[in-house]
Every structure is written in structure tokens, then in C-alpha cells.
């Protein structure tokens, strides 16, 4: 009787993991310079593979793993960049106006969620949203810059606002 907590011998996921985990961890370590971060991203990569249920169909497991890991790396670097920008902005504030560690953590989490939200938008919708919200541009100005109608800008903004509402509900 097989133990249900252990995958059966010859399980495709187990084979891919045992054959490629060391390679993936080394590749990520070279990219990040940190064994701990590499281990975390390798783990997340294999979780994504497991969730995809495509293990048995992989023709080129390393290419697939590298593609998934690269996406996770980009997200990791983006989070670090957001965190650095926020901490730089805080450093410019007087000490009396510094937020508590809890407030910092909440703001960083919110910034990461907003960044993920913006990343899900089509490029032009993201650009229209940022031009409107950060630069205070009118829809007509945005339309001129993007080379689209102001009606299309309204559509882009509706897409962005829908994502914002979904973010608030989650």
C-alpha cells in the first residue's frame, strides 16, 4: 500500500525536482548573490510547476523552470526597487514624521499590491492610469500623448479602476 503523503516512484514532478532543483538553485544564486533568496525563488518556481499540473508534458524542463524563475526574479527585483524608493522617500522626512515599523510594512505591502495590479493591465491602460493619477493629466491630454481617442482613454481608465476595485475587495 503506497503512502499517500509521498509521491509514487517515477512521479514526473519528483523526477523534474530531483533532476533540476540543484541546477535551478545555482542559476538563481548567480542571479541574486544570495543563497537564501535563491532557495526561496527555487521553491516558488517548483510550486508554480506543481500548480500548473504540466509536469508530465514538459519537453524542456530547464527552459520552463528558467522562464518561470525569471518572472519571479523580475518580481523580486521590482519589489526591492519599490522598497528602496519608499525607504529613500522616508529618509528625506524629518524623524518626527517617520511612520512606525508597522505602518512601513503596511505601506510596502500596499505598494507591492498596487504594482502587481498595474502589471496586470495592458501597457496603454497602465500608462493612461499613471498619467492621470500621478501627473494629473486630463483624458484629452492623455489621448494626445498615446495617440488614441479620449473615449479609448476612458476605456483604459475603466480597466484600471476595475483592477483597483478588485484590489480593495481582496
Amino acid at each position: 500500500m503506497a503512502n499517500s503523503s509521498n509521491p509514487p516512484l517515477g512521479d514526473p514532478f519528483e523526477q523534474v525536482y530531483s533532476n533540476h532543483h540543484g541546477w535551478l538553485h545555482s542559476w538563481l544564486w548567480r542571479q541574486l548573490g544570495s543563497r537564501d533568496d535563491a532557495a526561496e525563488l527555487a521553491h516558488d518556481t517548483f510550486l508554480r510547476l506543481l500548480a500548473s499540473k504540466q509536469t508530465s508534458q514538459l519537453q524542456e524542463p530547464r527552459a520552463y523552470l528558467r522562464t518561470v524563475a525569471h518572472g519571479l526574479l523580475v518580481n523580486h527585483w521590482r519589489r526591492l526597487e519599490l522598497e528602496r524608493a519608499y525607504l529613500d522617500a522616508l529618509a528625506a522626512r524629518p524623524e518626527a514624521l517617520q511612520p512606525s515599523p508597522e505602518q512601513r510594512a503596511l505601506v510596502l505591502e500596499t505598494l507591492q499590491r498596487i504594482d502587481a495590479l498595474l502589471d496586470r493591465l495592458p501597457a496603454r491602460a497602465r500608462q493612461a492610469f499613471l498619467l492621470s493619477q500621478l501627473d494629473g493629466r486630463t483624458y484629452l491630454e492623455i489621448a494626445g500623448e498615446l495617440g488614441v481617442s479620449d473615449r479609448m482613454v476612458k476605456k483604459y481608465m475603466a480597466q484600471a479602476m476595475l483592477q483597483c476595485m478588485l484590489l480593495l475587495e481582496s
Side-chain angles (χ1 to χ4, degrees):
M1 182 172 189
N3 183 346
S4 63
S5 65
N6 293 325
L9 212 53
D11 176 58
F13 179 80
E14 183 180 308
Q15 288 178 350
V16 170
Y17 185 89
S18 63
N19 291 338
H20 304 289
H21 180 269
W23 164 82
L24 181 63
H25 183 267
S26 295
W27 182 79
L28 286 165
W29 182 27
R30 285 190 304 276
Q31 302 301 311
L32 294 163
S34 165
R35 285 184 189 266
D36 291 339
D37 288 343
E40 185 177 329
L41 288 183
H43 175 78
D44 290 349
T45 301
F46 280 101
L47 282 178
R48 295 251 177 122
L49 173 62
L50 189 58
S52 76
K53 299 178 182 174
Q54 295 180 356
T55 309
S56 61
Q57 300 152 357
L58 288 180
Q59 298 298 316
E60 298 290 333
R62 285 191 178 185
Y64 178 87
L65 292 170
R66 186 176 175 155
T67 299
V68 171
H70 184 265
L72 292 172
L73 265 174
V74 168
N75 289 340
H76 174 79
W77 289 327
R78 184 181 292 146
R79 280 191 307 272
L80 289 178
E81 187 177 321
L82 275 172
E83 187 173 340
R84 250 184 257 119
Y86 175 61
L87 293 175
D88 288 348
L90 286 179
R93 296 178 80 178
E95 191 171 327
L97 298 177
Q98 293 292 324
S100 70
E102 295 83 15
Q103 289 171 318
R104 283 184 185 198
L106 284 173
V107 169
L108 283 172
E109 180 183 335
T110 302
L111 285 171
Q112 290 169 0
R113 291 177 73 194
I114 291 169
D115 182 58
L117 167 151
L118 291 173
D119 197 43
R120 287 193 296 263
L121 290 172
R124 286 189 167 209
R126 178 176 48 248
Q127 189 175 3
F129 180 77
L130 292 173
L131 287 169
S132 170
Q133 299 302 305
L134 299 180
D135 294 345
R137 303 257 185 98
T138 67
Y139 287 8
L140 198 56
E141 291 171 331
I142 295 167
E145 182 159 333
L146 297 180
V148 297
S149 67
D150 61 334
R151 192 167 149 195
M152 194 67 197
V153 172
K154 289 177 186 174
K155 180 180 174 187
Y156 292 152
M157 292 301 292
Q159 289 175 331
M161 293 302 174
L162 174 62
Q163 289 299 317
C164 290
M165 300 221 9
L166 294 173
L167 176 68
L168 290 174
E169 290 176 4
S170 63

